[in-house]
Amino acid sequence: MKSTENREFSRQARREGVLAPVLQILQIWQRRAPLLTAGALLSLLALLIGLLLMRAAGLRVAAMTVGMLVVTTGALRIFGASRVILRYTERLVTHDAMFRALADVRVWFFRHLARGAAAGLGFRRAGDLLSRLVSDVEALDGLYLRIIIPLAGALLVLPFLFIAINMVDTELALVVSGLFACGAFGLPLLAAILGRREGGLVSHASAQLRIGVLDMVGGLREIATFGAEGRMRDHVHARDAALFRAQMRQARMLALAGAASYLCGPAAVVAVLAAALGLGLPRIAPLPAAAVLFLTVAAFESVGGLTRAGALAGSITRAAARVVAVGAMPEHAPPEGTEPAPAGTDIRFEHVTFRWDAHRQPVLDDLSLTIAAGERVAILGASGAGKSTLAALLLKVVAPEAGRITLGGQDIATIRDDDLRGRIAWLSQATHLFADTIRANLLLGRPDADEAELWAALE
């Protein structure tokens, strides 16, 4: 069963693009673009001030050892205070922007879920939806805070680092900048490529565990009736073990990627020390050597988390794909109607064919059915026979592959969705009662119903 789930996940991952879901998330964040941009600019400014502070501190420490005054205490105080203020402001702005952006994603999620309406007909599993709404949406904060902002910082630091060291020695600048590019871009990219599958498997296993737990909790009555407690418990334990294995594989990869990235920083420090001693590189004076050393340490510390972020990019992109998939229209998406609902209520299915998946047999094949106004019809059949599919077609959750459905002689494809659903009621086998008054639950279907109509509905 485990290998089957993994194969299914791999096929789905191959079908999904990597960048398309991320770009759609960024499009949802468009309203927050000014705030997100402001946070990024504050982060870059704080980073730049930090580099200048470390360079100036290195110059002052080295100069004091030889009795010189290159950088005043006042300059260090200005740099230090500016960095603290900018860093604090940047954290406020970026986190506020991210909270608002994630709220926008949740609103978008609910709107598209409601528009599809399939969730109300039982075509989506509650555990999977909850996993997407909670775990996957929360994972998206890493896209901005762990990837976009640090990556923008690395793009700023690289030219600054090269220019600053090149003023001292070009060969040393090439060595240090090359190591920085490897640690800030090369290794994170490699980690992202290698971690795409592992990160996706973690998200998939987490969703499967949540589905299993919610299924077990929701079906306690049936489980107890058939004495299946042990089997269901074993089923959940198996999913928990699968999640643990996926997390362990990801953790090992994160550790290896982090270690490789960390070694780039010490290697750059060794190169600076070698240049200061004249070993293998052109010798540089002690004063600029101290400034370059402090600057190098600060530069590599600023991108220390990029490799880990690259390794987690698979989880983030997978989360983005799972979130935006809720907004994907079904293969046979119903058209947007523009006409009001007719007065008549005769229902006709005329040679209707429909299948949920193009690779499977049709659920309904050339079905013709007439239900006259006022007529009561019971449709019986085994699970999967197409009873719920008839309701989905009639409510325009999906559209027929062939044929047409009419209400009062008018094709429902031309009727506005709200008007159509105002004429057709759906009462599922597991109707949800909201934690509110009976009146509020009744008004959900008819907000304009008066007192007499409410009592009539209760009768």
Side-chain angles (χ1 to χ4, degrees):
M1 179 178 174
K2 171 180 172 292
S3 60
T4 302
E5 285 186 355
N6 286 344
R7 284 197 300 270
E8 177 60 28
F9 165 76
S10 299
R11 286 194 294 268
Q12 184 178 358
R14 284 194 295 270
R15 289 195 297 266
E16 293 170 349
V18 177
L19 290 180
V22 174
L23 293 176
Q24 189 165 351
I25 292 295
L26 294 178
Q27 187 176 8
I28 297 171
W29 289 352
Q30 272 187 336
R31 288 182 55 210
R32 309 301 174 186
L35 200 57
L36 293 169
T37 304
L41 291 177
L42 284 170
S43 177
L44 294 178
L45 188 56
L47 177 59
L48 183 60
I49 293 295
L51 294 175
L52 291 173
L53 174 64
M54 290 298 290
R55 182 177 180 275
L59 282 173
R60 181 171 176 81
V61 169
M64 288 177 63
T65 61
V66 294
M68 296 175 60
L69 182 62
V70 179
V71 179
T72 64
T73 305
L76 292 177
R77 288 176 177 172
I78 292 173
F79 283 141
S82 299
R83 185 178 184 278
V84 170
I85 294 172
L86 285 171
R87 196 67 174 165
Y88 179 75
T89 307
E90 173 256 324
R91 290 297 175 91
L92 285 179
V93 174
T94 54
H95 284 75
D96 179 63
M98 198 69 261
F99 287 141
R100 295 176 186 273
L102 293 182
D104 290 343
V105 173
R106 291 188 178 96
V107 171
W108 180 93
F109 185 96
F110 275 116
R111 283 178 177 168
H112 284 76
L113 185 62
R115 183 186 303 172
L121 294 175
F123 300 139
R124 296 187 188 271
R125 302 181 74 174
D128 184 51
L129 287 175
L130 184 61
S131 182
R132 296 181 192 221
L133 180 61
V134 179
S135 301
D136 293 333
V137 171
E138 287 180 356
L140 294 178
D141 69 351
L143 177 62
Y144 176 67
L145 297 175
R146 295 185 181 183
I147 295 181
I148 294 178
I149 287 184
L151 189 59
L155 292 172
L156 172 69
V157 171
L158 181 59
F160 181 88
L161 186 65
F162 178 80
I163 293 170
I165 301 178
N166 187 56
M167 295 171 62
V168 178
D169 181 74
T170 301
E171 192 171 340
L172 179 61
L174 290 172
V175 172
V176 174
S177 299
L179 288 169
F180 181 86
C182 180
F185 304 110
L187 288 173
L189 178 60
L190 180 61
I193 294 173
L194 296 177
R196 165 97 177 135
R197 180 177 179 274
E198 299 300 331
L201 284 174
V202 170
S203 298
H204 177 71
S206 177
Q208 291 301 310
L209 176 60
R210 196 182 295 270
I211 290 170
V213 171
L214 285 181
D215 282 350
M216 185 174 68
V217 173
L220 279 177
R221 181 176 57 189
E222 289 78 7
I223 292 170
T225 301
F226 294 105
E229 295 93 335
R231 282 175 288 166
M232 288 301 298
R233 185 174 60 249
D234 293 342
H235 182 62
V236 172
H237 283 169
R239 294 193 175 192
D240 182 58
L243 174 60
F244 178 76
R245 288 192 296 270
Q247 289 174 330
M248 286 298 296
R249 286 193 297 268
Q250 187 184 52
R252 283 194 291 268
M253 195 202 64
L254 285 173
L256 291 173
S261 176
Y262 172 77
L263 291 176
C264 291
V269 170
V270 169
V272 175
L273 294 175
L277 298 174
L279 301 176
L281 289 169
R283 187 182 182 90
I284 59 177
L287 197 63
V292 169
L293 181 62
F294 276 61
L295 178 62
T296 299
V297 171
F300 277 86
E301 283 184 353
S302 69
V303 295
L306 265 177
T307 301
R308 178 177 175 81
L312 292 174
S315 298
I316 295 172
T317 55
R318 174 68 178 154
R322 283 170 49 80
V323 170
V324 301
V326 174
M329 296 299 291
E331 185 176 352
H332 299 290
E336 291 286 344
T338 58
E339 301 294 327
T345 55
D346 292 338
I347 295 172
R348 288 179 60 85
F349 286 76
E350 300 176 359
H351 305 288
V352 171
T353 298
F354 179 81
R355 73 189 81 205
W356 288 103
D357 191 320
H359 304 290
R360 296 183 179 179
Q361 292 296 320
V363 180
L364 304 175
D365 189 8
D366 196 29
L367 170 72
S368 293
L369 170 68
T370 300
I371 304 175
E375 188 176 5
R376 293 191 175 106
V377 176
I379 300 174
L380 307 177
S383 179
K387 302 183 299 295
S388 296
T389 301
L390 284 174
L393 288 164
L394 191 56
L395 288 168
K396 284 185 68 176
V397 173
V398 287
E401 180 180 330
R404 69 170 193 155
I405 304 167
T406 64
L407 174 68
Q410 183 176 340
D411 191 336
I412 65 171
T414 66
I415 302 174
R416 289 191 294 264
D417 294 356
D418 290 344
D419 287 358
L420 176 70
R421 292 167 187 170
R423 301 291 297 277
I424 300 174
W426 162 265
L427 182 64
S428 73
Q429 60 189 357
T431 300
H432 182 78
L433 285 177
F434 291 90
D436 207 330
T437 63
I438 295 175
R439 173 186 291 274
N441 276 273
L442 291 173
L443 291 176
L444 185 66
R446 285 273 309 275
D448 58 342
D450 58 27
E451 193 78 8
E453 289 172 325
L454 293 180
W455 281 106
L458 290 174
E459 289 292 338

